[in-house]
Amino acid sequence: MKTVDKALQRVDRLQQAHPPLAVPYAVVKKYGDDRAGQLAALITYYGFTAVFPLLLLLTTCLGFVLRGNAGAQKAVLNSALADFPIIGNQLTQNIHSLHGTGAAVVIGALGLLYGSLGVTQILQFAMAQVWNIPGVERPGYLARLARGLLLITALAVGLLLSTATAALAGFVAHGPLAFAAGLVGSAVVNTALYLSCFRILTPKEVPLRSLVPGCLIAGPAWTLLQTCGGYLVAHELRHATQVYGFFGTVLGLLSWLYLGAQITMYAAEVNVVRNRKLWPRTLTQPPLSRADRSVLDAIVHQEERRPEQDVETSFTDTPLPERPREGDAH
């Protein structure tokens, strides 16, 4: 054990002395301190509840558009929707039974509203946790609701811009050049979208420039995830059976959403670590570094729920004495 401890201490000294190693470790360490993995799971849940009502609305709208229009039916069947296991197979096999109904619109709209507002609420909670905002300083329900609606608007605008960018790249160029231009354009749009969303979700006292580093990482990472997700659906599940394709798409969608949520949480942690200079963190304790103490202090203070409550913390770097083992002399 002494050999392992000495090796860990050498690694710890090495990473603390070199910021290119210390900063990534500090980000990962704070990600664990904030239990951001659990927050990413909650974001995934609400994202999933928003996606399927969106698909229901989409198929219903297609039912209105395709009714009695053979040309439109053929166009949709020959489009990318035909390769999507949930919608494509249904359109191919049951195009005659696809009709838009008012009930489907209402159910889809209500489900989409529930999932979308749930995503915005948990995102605000996640950012408050990451920035360790005390409970007494967090906004109330109405303020969170207004911020959530603003976030949904920003996401809708970002989706339209991303679609327009891809279409423009395909119009200007063709082949690999169009693909590369589309990726670059999507990365730029996604980075700007992350920056606008982080501005909405992050406390006002944090300047906009402090949100840029995480967004420069998250934008390209999200673009890559979109590309890989599209490749999986288009090439791996294209010829799967309807049942296999459905389950494969559900599992793939959950994994895709969770990876996207993790990208968002890590990007937020990058901003916090850089803004508060929370590095280097220690790999072995004691002693605790200044950054360790700052993070632990912030975690304690974020639990303050009332203005009358005042929480104080203190640290000691002296190790606690080991308990005597049985048989030891007293």
Side-chain angles (χ1 to χ4, degrees):
M1 292 298 296
K2 289 184 178 180
T3 303
V4 174
D5 290 340
K6 290 181 179 179
L8 287 176
Q9 290 173 1
R10 287 196 294 269
V11 173
D12 195 12
R13 288 193 295 269
L14 176 65
Q15 67 91 12
Q16 289 191 50
H18 297 82
L21 298 176
V23 174
Y25 175 68
V27 171
V28 174
K29 181 73 172 175
K30 192 171 186 306
Y31 182 93
D33 290 335
D34 294 331
R35 298 178 180 147
Q38 298 178 24
L39 298 174
L42 285 173
I43 295 172
T44 302
Y45 164 74
Y46 282 105
F48 187 78
T49 59
V51 167
F52 271 86
L54 179 62
L55 294 178
L56 178 61
L57 277 177
L58 178 60
T59 55
T60 303
C61 292
L62 286 176
F64 285 114
V65 173
L66 298 178
R67 183 181 300 173
N69 192 331
Q73 293 177 6
K74 183 177 180 180
V76 171
L77 290 176
N78 292 332
S79 69
L81 280 177
D83 293 328
F84 194 73
I86 296 176
I87 298 177
N89 291 341
Q90 294 293 335
L91 286 174
T92 304
Q93 300 173 11
N94 300 299
I95 189 66
H96 59 278
S97 63
L98 183 60
H99 299 289
T101 63
V105 172
V106 172
I107 294 173
L110 291 176
L112 182 60
L113 181 63
Y114 168 79
S116 300
L117 290 179
V119 168
T120 63
Q121 293 296 311
I122 192 58
L123 279 173
Q124 292 180 65
F125 176 77
M127 292 301 151
Q129 293 292 105
V130 166
W131 287 94
N132 307 118
I133 306 301
V136 69
E137 298 179 9
R138 299 187 184 186
Y141 175 75
L142 292 179
R144 295 198 311 271
L145 182 61
R147 190 179 296 179
L149 294 175
L150 182 61
L151 180 63
I152 292 175
T153 302
L155 291 174
V157 173
L159 179 61
L160 292 176
L161 289 177
S162 180
T163 303
T165 301
L168 180 62
F171 177 78
V172 173
H174 300 282
L177 183 60
F179 180 75
L183 282 181
V184 173
S186 296
V188 172
V189 171
N190 288 333
T191 300
L193 179 60
Y194 261 103
L195 187 59
S196 62
C197 291
F198 276 8
R199 179 67 283 173
I200 295 172
L201 297 171
T202 307
K204 295 180 179 179
E205 58 266 23
V206 179
L208 182 63
R209 63 178 180 275
S210 298
L211 305 178
V212 173
C215 297
L216 291 177
I217 296 174
W222 177 252
T223 302
L224 181 63
L225 184 61
Q226 286 179 310
T227 304
C228 294
Y231 177 84
L232 176 65
V233 172
H235 295 276
E236 299 297 330
L237 298 176
R238 174 179 296 176
H239 302 296
T241 63
Q242 181 174 342
V243 174
Y244 178 83
F246 176 80
F247 284 108
T249 301
V250 169
L251 294 177
L253 178 61
L254 283 172
S255 301
W256 185 71
L257 290 173
Y258 184 65
L259 287 174
Q262 285 187 309
I263 289 173
T264 301
M265 296 307 301
Y266 271 113
E269 297 287 9
V270 168
N271 291 333
V272 179
V273 169
R274 286 184 57 88
N275 179 264
R276 297 178 178 174
K277 295 181 171 53
L278 298 178
W279 77 88
R281 300 290 299 273
T282 54
L283 185 62
T284 59
Q285 300 96 18
L288 295 171
S289 69
R290 177 204 59 81
D292 289 325
R293 293 169 182 257
S294 297
V295 171
L296 295 175
D297 268 335
I299 291 175
V300 172
H301 285 287
Q302 80 178 18
E303 297 303 323
E304 295 178 355
R305 302 299 178 89
R306 294 286 305 169
E308 303 88 351
Q309 185 181 14
D310 186 17
V311 178
E312 295 183 1
T313 61
S314 60
F315 296 92
T316 173
D317 291 339
T318 304
L320 296 176
E322 295 183 2
R323 292 183 178 180
R325 294 169 295 183
E326 291 187 12
D328 289 350
H330 294 281

